Amino acid sequence: VKPADDAASALGMELPSILLRRGIGYDVRRYPRCRVARTPYTNRPEGFDKLGSYASGENKASIKIQPLAPSLVIAEKKEGGKKTMEWPLFFLMDGTDEAAEIEKSAQAAPEPNAESISLEMASYGTMAVLTFSDAATAEAVAYYHQKLMDKCVEDGLTPADECAEKIIFAQYDPIFALKAKRNEVWVPLKAHDWM
């Protein structure tokens, strides 16, 4: 998916995906497994600061790394719920030996210095994705999440159970960019035509 208006990503290359379907106002994509740097946070600038420091060399190898876009936020819907931010570091092709690839890719994902950052495997799988350019306030993200959930149900797709409790939000552009931004809400699907 090419960013609108040639918008540059805040991170780097994008996590690849396979377009499975274009719905009316949304897409269905399949994402590969990937290694992510993950941190809990209170507000988004804090999450960007913590992961940005890790990527800028505050890691056990003292090397700079280039994460993949987007920056992903997983937020619990309940008031005061937990929020985490994660940056994909590298992805695994289907059939790849996960343990061997992690060991081999220490340069792409060095161990963090900060205890608040963890390296984990993420399996995003098949996602319904709705893109929007509004400011990514909590209200806007919740609105687009619900809009996407409704579209999925209308089209016979079944969102994963976790969608009732969590929102996944993807941000491609710098957090304080003044130009139009590319933001997305992701809804994991548990029942769809692309099993």
Side-chain angles (χ1 to χ4, degrees):
V1 176
K2 184 176 190 264
D5 302 323
D6 296 320
S9 167
L11 299 175
M13 286 181 21
E14 290 185 19
L15 181 65
S17 64
I18 297 170
L19 178 64
L20 301 172
R21 173 186 184 180
R22 272 201 202 280
I24 297 174
Y26 72 100
D27 295 336
V28 177
R29 303 180 197 152
R30 179 169 293 134
Y31 288 91
R33 294 175 299 144
C34 59
R35 186 86 161 154
V36 298
R38 182 177 290 156
T39 190
Y41 74 94
T42 306
N43 59 54
R44 258 185 289 155
E46 175 195 6
F48 274 100
D49 183 51
K50 287 161 68 171
L51 292 177
S53 294
Y54 164 75
S56 295
E58 289 187 26
N59 52 61
K60 302 273 187 214
S62 299
I63 58 172
K64 291 184 179 183
I65 57 172
Q66 183 65 55
L68 302 169
S71 171
L72 290 154
V73 169
I74 295 96
E76 293 178 349
K77 289 182 176 181
K78 66 183 179 187
E79 186 68 33
K82 186 172 102 173
K83 296 184 278 191
T84 58
M85 181 177 288
E86 54 193 50
W87 287 2
L89 302 173
F90 64 87
F91 62 93
L92 303 175
M93 303 299 287
D94 284 342
T96 303
D97 177 12
E98 189 174 297
E101 194 65 28
I102 289 170
E103 186 176 323
K104 185 169 77 172
S105 299
Q107 294 284 17
E111 288 296 317
N113 289 335
E115 289 182 16
S116 63
I117 297 173
S118 61
L119 298 181
E120 299 177 34
M121 289 305 299
S123 295
Y124 300 118
T126 303
M127 297 276 188
V129 178
L130 187 148
T131 303
F132 65 98
S133 60
D134 298 354
T137 63
E139 295 78 14
V141 171
Y143 168 79
Y144 286 111
H145 172 80
Q146 188 58 53
K147 184 175 180 177
L148 180 56
M149 293 277 288
D150 293 343
K151 285 179 177 288
C152 287
V153 172
E154 286 171 18
D155 288 349
L157 304 173
T158 306
D161 296 337
E162 67 193 66
C163 296
E165 299 170 7
K166 295 179 185 175
I167 293 176
I168 301 174
F169 161 65
Q171 185 169 359
Y172 288 84
D173 303 303
I175 190 168
F176 296 116
L178 298 176
K179 62 183 178 178
K181 295 179 179 163
R182 178 174 159 212
N183 301 312
E184 295 174 342
V185 286
W186 291 10
V187 167
L189 300 175
K190 72 174 180 181
H192 51 79
D193 296 334
W194 308 277
M195 302 305 268

